[in-house]
Amino acid sequence: MNLLTQGAQQLPEALRKLDPRHLWRSPVMFIVLLGSVATTVAAIVDPSVFAVAISAWLWLTVVFGNLAEAVAEGRGKAQAASLRATRTDTLARRLGADGTETAVPATRLVVGDHVVVEAGEVVPGDGDIVEGIASVDESAITGESAPVIREAGGDRSAVTGGTRVLSDRIVVRITAAAGHTFLDRMISLVEGTSRRKTPNEVALSILLASLTLAFLAAVATLAPMAAWSGAPQDVVVLVALLVCLIPTTIGALLSAIGIAGMDRLVRVNVLAMSGRAVEAAGDVSTLLLDKTGTITYGNRQASCFVPAPGVAEGGLRDAARLSSIADQTPEGRSVVDLALRMGADDQDLPRDAVFVEFTAQTRMSGVDLSDGTQVRKGAGSAIAAWLGTEQPAEVREIVADISRAGGTPLVIGRRDAAGTGEVLGVIHLKDVVKEGMSERFAELRSMGIRTVMITGDNALTAEAIAREAGVDDFLAEATPEDKMAYIQREQEGGRLVAMTGDGTNDAPALAAADVGVAMNSGTAAAKEAGNMVDLDSDPTKLIDIVEIGKQLLITRGALTTFSIANDVAKYFAIIPAMFVAAYPSLDRLNVMGLATPQSAILSAVVFNALVIVGLIPLALRGVRFRAASATAVLRRNLLVFGLGGIVVPFVGIKLIDLIVSTIPGI
């Protein structure tokens, strides 16, 4: 649907917004409304073509300003309607304390209820999976057709109301009451009903109100001065002067710019809890990014086995396979796959063996054989502690070489029944940096944004990946406390910090960050702590969020510059026209060669109204974002929108004057 069609559809809403109770929130447009009323009364008392034309165009100025806001809100309402269509009246299978199931409407669920959802059923409300694993279709919320896996006990346990379970059976603990789900919040957000002015908007509104009051005082004092000088001015001319002097363009478009910025976030499936978060994203100067899944593809793959001196490659291969059978992490499965590709026997499973699963606490997995032999695979420090001895110098050198190359070393250790241990060798896991990441980081650096990689890897591995990716800094072996401390150090230096997270352990850092983006697949604690939620659960989207925030700020700054600059041409149109009769020498200021004083004033008022319509598409689309420093952005704004704001009105007012001057009575 094109903008013209949208404008026609939203015209009735723009007319409804003429209500003074709505317009008083925008002091600039409220003054224009009062001016419209004043000129209308003047045109009725003393009718003339000039007075009627001025009054009509002042009313159109207010309507056009309302239209910009109405079109921006209309886009959100259309999106909200499509979201509402995804909601259904769902019956939930509430689980009782005794294990019995009771069918209840989803609207009667409360926080803490446990519900059962099986294949083919719709999740009745937002919650965390506490039992089971399932494939879930989230296309109704995210638009992504590919199903996702959600399971209990991890950082991908959250499910959203309105999504559909495709396989298996899960038990969900409800974390949001009816009416307060993410779908409800999305609908409220895109409709604009929950939007409040951001601090920057409030500050700019105060500035515009101050300018308006200053010009109001100037015009009020101009009336007696004009009468004293022998060139008395009527109400219509004084109101026209006031409306053309005050920053009506940005006053009319300010709300639309903010709504459109929020709308761009929603269109990339990001739910912002407040406009403040969007603005903060535009001012961010430090980005904290997880390595795995954000900078790298994640799911590190075993690439080769490096035996210790005196150990046969086949022996290391078989030991690596046995120690990884119980490791169901992607890395563990890749070790088994590599061993099988190198000739290991898939049917060679020892009898009476006890497999030891990998845990985050031990950082090892392995197997205990029936003859007392134990084999373990894990981090070098964990294997050394398990063996009770230092690694051989040759093995330490292998580990260092792999780390310097950006890989992750996993050491294989073996201990016999007598307790004698030895290191068999090292597995080389590779973590591949995503294509184009270094270029994106270079763009961010050109904007003055520092990028910091967060990883649980050791410092050597982290340094190699950071160097390849092109980030500015890294935080290795990071704990929740480390993340918090880093954020606080950055903020103490006056920087705004953004980060992503999905786990409960990320919640403190998400809450501390100026922009905390929680993954929708993550835990309820993470989503509550953040001020944005990414419905696609894509950690790389943090970079897009920053760009959208900057585009919002750049658009607002550019149109403010244009609005203030285009007043210059109006001065040259109206001021000489008002006083040329008393002071003929002022005709030298009529650089545009406007036909008559009345046509000059009317042309300025008409241009003042039409420029709002002309800038609505730019306000909704946003000024094109280009990675550049703040100085370069300011220079571009001044050159394009500052100089353009001066030149365009001179041309526009002259063209309008050529038409207006042909109207009888003007």
Side-chain angles (χ1 to χ4, degrees), residues 452-490:
V452 181
M453 183 185 76
I454 301 175
T455 178
D457 289 339
N458 62 66
L460 281 175
T461 301
E463 183 180 7
I465 294 294
R467 185 168 54 249
E468 181 180 353
V471 296
D472 298 302
D473 197 4
F474 64 90
L475 188 61
E477 299 178 347
T479 65
E481 293 77 14
D482 293 334
K483 297 177 187 178
M484 281 283 293
Y486 197 99
I487 290 172
Q488 290 168 355
R489 285 198 302 272
E490 291 290 304

Side-chain angles (χ1 to χ4, degrees), residues 254-386:
L254 184 59
S255 181
I257 293 169
I259 295 171
M262 298 284 281
D263 179 65
R264 283 192 289 275
L265 265 186
V266 173
R267 289 178 184 274
V268 296
N269 279 340
V270 175
L271 178 63
M273 305 306 178
S274 70
R276 182 191 295 267
V278 185
E279 282 193 349
D283 285 329
V284 158
S285 48
T286 301
L287 285 185
L288 269 59
L289 302 162
D290 276 330
K291 182 199 71 164
T292 306
T294 304
I295 295 174
T296 65
Y297 284 106
N299 297 347
R300 295 166 296 180
Q301 301 292 306
S303 62
C304 66
F305 301 129
V306 185
V311 177
E313 184 172 319
L316 173 61
R317 176 201 65 196
D318 293 339
R321 170 180 167 272
L322 285 176
S323 63
S324 301
I325 290 176
D327 182 0
Q328 292 305 305
T329 64
E331 292 85 355
R333 290 194 294 269
S334 76
V335 173
V336 175
D337 292 340
L338 177 62
L340 295 177
R341 290 199 303 271
M342 294 180 64
D345 185 358
D346 192 26
Q347 305 301 318
D348 182 23
L349 290 176
R351 293 186 177 184
D352 302 323
V354 177
F355 291 98
V356 179
E357 295 184 2
F358 174 86
T359 67
Q361 288 74 30
T362 64
R363 295 192 297 165
M364 293 188 301
S365 65
V367 62
D368 295 340
L369 303 177
S370 57
D371 62 359
T373 301
Q374 297 176 314
V375 182
R376 294 290 187 272
K377 175 207 71 186
S381 58
I383 295 298
W386 178 72

Side-chain angles (χ1 to χ4, degrees), residues 565-581:
N566 70 23
D567 288 340
V568 174
K570 300 171 196 172
Y571 304 156
F572 281 92
I574 295 180
I575 298 297
M578 291 176 63
F579 296 101
V580 70

Side-chain angles (χ1 to χ4, degrees), residues 9 29 63 80 137 150 206 249 263 265 286 340 397 405 422 431 484 502-503 518 530 545 563 576 596 599 639 649:
Q9 290 181 348
M29 299 311 295
V63 172
D137 175 11
R150 297 287 179 260
I206 293 173
T249 306
D263 179 65
L265 265 186
T286 301
L340 295 177
E397 185 61 30
E422 64 175 329
D431 208 351
M484 281 283 293
D502 58 4
I545 291 170
S563 176
T596 66
S599 72
L639 181 63

Side-chain angles (χ1 to χ4, degrees), residues 3 10 43 49 68 124 158-161 165 218 271 311 324 361 552 573 638 640 666:
L3 191 61
Q10 296 303 322
V49 175
V159 288
T160 305
V165 173
L271 178 63
V311 177
S324 301
Q361 288 74 30
L552 170 65
L638 291 176
V640 176
I666 299 297

